[in-house]
Amino acid sequence: MRAREFNFDGLVGPSHNYAGLSFGNVASFSNVKSASNPKLAALQGLAKMRALAARGFGQALLPPQDRPNFRLLRSIGFTGSDAEVLAKAAKESPVTLACAYSASPMWTANAATVSPSADSADGRTHFTAANLNNKLHRAFEHAQSARSLRAIFKDDKHFAVHDALPGTPAFGDEGAANHTRLCKDHGSAAVEMFVYGRTEFDASAPAPKKYPARQTLEASQAVARLHGLSAERTVYIQQNPDVIDQGVFHNDVIAVGNGNVLFYHEQAFADEAGALEQLRRAMGGVGADLNAIRVDTAKVSVADAVHSYLFNSQLLSKDNGKMALVIPQECEENAAVAAYLQGLVASGNAVDELIHFDLRQSMRNGGGPACLRLRVALTDAEAAAMHQGVVMTEALYHTLVAWVEKHYRDRLEPSDLADPALAIEVHTALEDLSRILGLRGLYDLS
């Protein structure tokens, strides 16, 4: 069946800031408490969406989440009016206030795991909101993520949106950032690859020593069950614990796949040879040959991969049968990575084009192009059944640019999070956005 892949990019919210809350994310930590530019961050993201839509790629957006998270602040004892809650939190627990204002929902690769209808037992596209329970600032996101997904994919004939897994360490789930779909084409049955960092119920299994492993094997298995995936076409691979300790907090920081291509660093997996063998065997069952593009450490170190976000790029299928690699500008500024990419394009392999974007405002918060998007392969009927107001068009682009120019600040300091006016600005902006997107009632702003 013919299908088209849509990338749902996260629209950066009006309170975009650098709180440095994500231990294990090198870029996020290195920019902690510096001033941000929410307006520029949103405009950079919109420019990327517009450019890819103009090229004919399926492009849509996921709206930002409401901030600050007053439910979090009130649940831990801060009382009074909204302004009083903010003032008390700023004085008594500024880190918690930063958590309540976290900008991380823009990383929509962590919003959910998606299994297209070609892979599921009931022939529907399945979504499971990620619980993100490893970090306080992200652990509350799943409720709005599920709410947004249900608003966009509300036709239960075609779609099933599952609530997040239990919010316990055993089922730590970080969504599509640790999930890759490999196939002959987007509309055919695929191999779904889940990459996990640790095993909860096997104390003898390898695990990182410095930074947390955020995805468990048990969570990956649970998502596969919820989605009704075939055991023969589902592969579980352990991430290399050593690269987690080097700042590779998700698999999409060290590997990316599309179609039959797996673009990965040689240190990505705990057992590289075993991982490739599992994938080749499973892909044989769907009539596809694995094209594994390995990046050797001698050419690109793990440190260079992490700092340039080489693997947090997007691999997009083109009409000529080749693929484009969407990279952040940082890749061109890293000598080793730039040299490697020039050789990759000249090699005659699957990737024949590089598309680069300036996403510095987002990159400084610890993620690149692939972190900003959630991939959803849809048949024509499914694409028609989803809510159309979030699909990127030239008209929507210009409307959203005007919306950003109206509502966003161009400088946000850490001290601004205590300002009650900022919370009012965000709520006003999101009410306007829900009207623009045709998603009234998307937020509970009471």
Side-chain angles (χ1 to χ4, degrees), residues 197-215:
R198 67 180 183 87
T199 304
E200 172 75 10
F201 300 131
D202 182 0
S204 66
K209 298 178 176 62
K210 180 180 180 182
Y211 292 138
R214 305 184 188 183
Q215 185 82 24

Side-chain angles (χ1 to χ4, degrees), residues 301-323:
S301 68
V302 171
D304 281 338
V306 169
H307 289 291
S308 68
Y309 274 65
L310 167 61
F311 295 97
N312 198 244
S313 300
Q314 295 176 236
L315 266 179
L316 302 177
S317 299
K318 302 199 301 180
D319 292 339
N320 67 356
K322 294 288 189 175
M323 297 184 190

Side-chain angles (χ1 to χ4, degrees), residues 12 21 36 47 77 115 132 183 197 201 223 230 259 262 314 321 353 359 364 373 396 417 429 431 434:
V12 178
L21 298 168
S36 63
S115 294
L132 301 168
C183 55
F201 300 131
V223 171
S230 162
L262 178 65
Q314 295 176 236
E353 180 184 6
L359 298 168
R364 293 183 68 198
R373 58 82 190 260
L396 180 60
L417 302 186
E431 286 180 335
S434 62

Side-chain angles (χ1 to χ4, degrees), residues 133-147:
N133 68 353
N134 188 263
K135 299 284 183 289
L136 172 62
H137 69 285
R138 305 212 66 177
F140 285 74
E141 289 179 25
H142 63 85
Q144 182 62 48
S145 293
R147 184 170 178 152

Side-chain angles (χ1 to χ4, degrees), residues 181-220:
R181 187 172 185 261
L182 297 167
C183 55
K184 187 175 182 180
D185 56 70
H186 293 309
S188 61
V191 171
E192 297 206 14
M193 179 180 83
F194 292 84
V195 179
Y196 62 95
R198 67 180 183 87
T199 304
E200 172 75 10
F201 300 131
D202 182 0
S204 66
K209 298 178 176 62
K210 180 180 180 182
Y211 292 138
R214 305 184 188 183
Q215 185 82 24
T216 67
L217 171 62
E218 291 80 2
S220 299

Side-chain angles (χ1 to χ4, degrees), residues 271-355:
D271 177 6
E272 179 190 5
L276 296 180
E277 177 55 31
Q278 284 188 75
L279 290 172
R280 289 192 176 100
R281 188 166 54 247
M283 290 184 69
V286 298
D289 294 323
L290 177 67
N291 180 3
I293 301 177
R294 179 193 204 236
V295 180
D296 296 338
T297 305
K299 293 183 177 180
V300 178
S301 68
V302 171
D304 281 338
V306 169
H307 289 291
S308 68
Y309 274 65
L310 167 61
F311 295 97
N312 198 244
S313 300
Q314 295 176 236
L315 266 179
L316 302 177
S317 299
K318 302 199 301 180
D319 292 339
N320 67 356
K322 294 288 189 175
M323 297 184 190
L325 188 68
V326 179
I327 58 173
Q329 192 163 308
E330 283 76 357
C331 284
E332 296 191 330
E333 297 169 357
N334 181 296
V337 171
Y340 174 81
L341 288 173
Q342 290 174 7
L344 175 67
V345 172
S347 70
N349 207 315
V351 179
D352 72 346
E353 180 184 6
L354 302 176
I355 305 174

